[in-house]
Amino acid sequence: MIRSVVRGFGSALPKRVLTNQEMESKVDTTDEWIVQRTGIRQRYIADESETTASLGEAAARAALDNAGLTPDDIDLIILATSTPDNTFPASAVDIQNRLGMKHGAAFDIQAVCTGFVYAMSTADLYIRGGMAKRVLVIGAETFSRILDWNDRTTCVLFGDGAGAVVLEAQEGQGTAGDRGILTSHLRSDGSHKDKLYVNGGPSTTGQAGFIHMEGREVFKYAVGMITDVVYDALAATALEVEDIDWLVPHQANIRIIEGSARKLGIPMEKVVVTVDQHGNTSAASIPLALAAAAGDGRIKEGDIVLLEAMGGGFTWGSVLLRW
Ligand code: COA
């Protein structure tokens, strides 16, 4: 059976760091409030020269280098983003062009903070269906551009960045001992669409708009939704919670991460946390965290890695893979 195996990973962050202390001079907030409620200490903010496509390109190049591959070896690019450079074309084709690729195909996927999980699941289907051999899966965001910098309830939470992996078709035995994606589970429920949304768009206001969020409402649903899709992944593979070597969650808030880990019975030593450094980078947060933990040697070949996310929509999902 064909499996989608992670062959390389990479990430890119804007040059500028914005600390909580600097935030204090922008809005009525404190470092203490932000750290206590969210775990965030700093975030990276794109300057005028940095965009979703440029950050995505940098992460893609790093992932290709890590894999020992060139753009010629890739036949599909899937970019998860809610902050594309333009309404159209997809920023994925911009990245394709920046990489000098004229072959293959490229498209964007939009599932807000669950975007990277949706993109990995989609790439896996293309690979297992025989339509692609190597897929560049990217999560890239510039949420700073859709933040209302006068709204302290949202502007302290988000940051910019990008991460990428190269998925490659490899033969497996069809068992949980295989390397690669073992199972993925996607969910959405649009009845929650007004709890976390951007108040603009091409067919309504003609403007990009700004983020609005009912933080408490999002919090209320997050842990339950996340743990549901984790249980689905374990049931589908007959793996146990104890088999998970690394939980790599979407990095929205340390309290959601800790709450989910506690409910699942996963010790925090097995959880990759970057929210303190990056803030919430939406679809970029999981590949950024993967690149950090694989880059410093925590995640090793053969490890069972569980990705999970929940975000606007609501959307939520999980991907269970062997590194
Ligand atoms: N600095 C200081 N005070 C702030 C603040 C800030 N940046 N933002 C809000 N406050 C204030 C509020 O105005 C409120 O004041 P009041 O009691 O005088 O009205 C108080 O802090 C509590 O606000 P509340 O919204 O109830 O706080 P909370 O404990 O729910 O924490 C979040 C707010 C956003 C951190 C929390 O709800 C959360 O993490 N939600 C999930 C959000 C998330 O992760 N979304 C992304 C999912 S992909």
Side-chain angles (χ1 to χ4, degrees):
M1 148 172 206
I2 298 173
R3 294 288 196 186
S4 310
V5 176
V6 175
R7 163 110 185 226
F9 56 86
S11 63
L13 289 160
K15 294 180 284 292
R16 164 137 166 71
V17 176
L18 180 62
T19 64
N20 287 352
Q21 284 76 16
E22 286 174 89
M23 261 314 170
E24 291 176 0
S25 65
K26 290 183 182 291
V27 284
D28 180 16
T29 192
T30 60
D31 173 51
E32 194 194 353
W33 191 96
I34 301 171
V35 172
Q36 215 174 60
R37 305 280 176 132
T38 71
I40 297 165
R41 293 181 183 278
Q42 61 169 45
R43 72 286 294 144
Y44 291 80
I45 302 294
D47 69 19
E48 278 170 21
S49 71
E50 294 164 321
T51 67
T52 292
S54 78
L55 292 166
E57 176 200 2
R61 287 189 184 281
L64 287 168
D65 278 354
N66 181 258
L69 297 170
T70 72
D72 288 343
D73 301 312
I74 300 297
D75 31 35
L76 177 65
I77 298 174
I78 304 179
L79 169 67
T81 189
S82 300
T83 46
D85 287 13
N86 297 87
T87 300
F88 75 78
S91 292
V93 300
D94 191 345
I95 293 172
Q96 179 192 26
N97 182 51
R98 287 162 180 263
L99 294 174
M101 267 176 76
K102 293 218 178 279
H103 64 280
F107 60 86
D108 287 2
I109 275 190
Q110 210 270 57
V112 204
C113 297
T114 320
F116 190 75
V117 169
Y118 271 61
M120 288 287 272
S121 174
T122 305
D124 181 42
L125 289 175
Y126 274 89
I127 288 175
R128 286 195 290 119
M131 281 183 71
K133 273 213 155 52
R134 293 197 194 89
V135 184
L136 196 46
V137 187
I138 308 166
E141 302 279 16
T142 44
F143 261 52
S144 63
R145 305 264 156 77
I146 52 167
L147 289 174
D148 175 353
W149 287 94
N150 296 312
D151 176 9
R152 67 175 182 172
T153 68
T154 52
C155 76
V156 301
L157 303 175
F158 296 92
D160 303 333
V165 300
V166 178
L167 286 181
E168 180 177 76
Q170 291 185 13
E171 277 297 325
Q173 305 300 313
T175 70
D178 290 348
R179 287 187 68 204
I181 295 179
L182 302 174
T183 190
S184 60
H185 300 265
L186 304 184
R187 296 291 311 279
S188 67
D189 179 352
S191 68
H192 299 290
K193 69 184 176 59
D194 295 333
K195 295 189 175 82
L196 173 50
Y197 70 103
V198 172
N199 65 343
S203 88
T204 51
T205 62
Q207 309 283 323
F210 295 110
I211 290 177
H212 292 260
M213 178 167 70
E214 295 174 30
R216 283 198 171 184
E217 278 295 300
V218 177
F219 205 105
K220 207 168 80 186
Y221 287 94
V223 173
M225 287 178 163
I226 287 164
T227 49
D228 277 356
V229 284
V230 169
Y231 292 134
D232 288 345
L234 293 173
T237 51
L239 289 170
E240 308 282 342
V241 169
E242 294 71 35
D243 296 320
I244 297 168
D245 294 300
W246 292 104
L247 174 65
V248 184
H250 167 51
Q251 310 281 322
N253 184 308
I254 193 66
R255 291 189 298 156
I256 294 175
I257 295 173
E258 286 173 349
S260 309
R262 197 177 313 119
K263 190 169 169 199
L264 291 166
I266 300 175
M268 283 306 288
E269 299 80 60
K270 288 184 168 188
V271 183
V272 178
V273 175
T274 53
V275 69
D276 54 330
Q277 297 299 304
H278 301 160
N280 181 348
T281 58
S282 196
S285 90
I286 290 177
L288 273 163
L290 277 176
D296 66 18
R298 273 177 289 170
I299 298 178
K300 297 184 198 61
E301 190 171 317
D303 282 354
I304 290 286
V305 178
L306 177 65
L307 317 179
E308 52 82 351
M310 181 266 187
F314 293 143
T315 54
W316 65 108
S318 64
V319 170
L320 188 62
L321 61 96
R322 190 179 291 280
W323 197 256

